[in-house]
Amino acid sequence: MAHARLVQLAIAVPAAIGAALAAGAPALAYGGDTTPPTAPFLAYAQGYYCGVLIVGMNRATDNVTPQSQLTYEVFIDGAPFGPAVDQGSESGVWAWFQPSTGGPTLTPGQHTATVKARDAAGNWSAPSRSWPVTGYRC
């Protein structure tokens, strides 16, 4: 008859790593990645009638996260506006914000658009170059 033995195992974890794990630090899941992606190159931004905004950029790169897994956020006047989605197209990453379909509205007037990339560890790139955009009323 086989006998089961209970073996107790202790793993020593340095205090800094244990504290980071307890805090849910995402960088540890990616080998301690603390290097941000390169800033995306904002190539196009234009405001349209009724608060529509279209933004296009070249992809960023990262030292750990594959390019297809980077995420992008559009900022208007320094505030988060909405995500840009990489569709895997050779033409880069595009975002089309249309208020009539529930998207955010580019308010009338002059604004500045920038974009940042984020890697899987949660590191944000520097902002892209800024691009002036105009919001138009309906």
Side-chain angles (χ1 to χ4, degrees), residues 52-89:
V52 171
L53 174 67
I54 298 175
V55 179
M57 71 218 68
N58 291 344
R59 289 181 182 87
T61 59
D62 187 63
N63 65 326
V64 176
T65 303
Q67 198 173 40
S68 63
Q69 293 178 18
L70 294 173
T71 59
Y72 299 87
E73 181 77 21
V74 176
F75 291 79
I76 296 296
D77 301 327
F81 192 73
V85 179
D86 186 348
Q87 299 293 334
S89 168

Side-chain angles (χ1 to χ4, degrees), residues 65-117:
T65 303
Q67 198 173 40
S68 63
Q69 293 178 18
L70 294 173
T71 59
Y72 299 87
E73 181 77 21
V74 176
F75 291 79
I76 296 296
D77 301 327
F81 192 73
V85 179
D86 186 348
Q87 299 293 334
S89 168
E90 289 302 316
S91 64
V93 180
W94 290 86
W96 180 4
F97 301 99
Q98 186 170 357
S100 64
T101 59
T105 300
L106 184 62
T107 58
Q110 296 296 311
H111 302 281
T112 301
T114 56
V115 180
K116 290 182 182 180

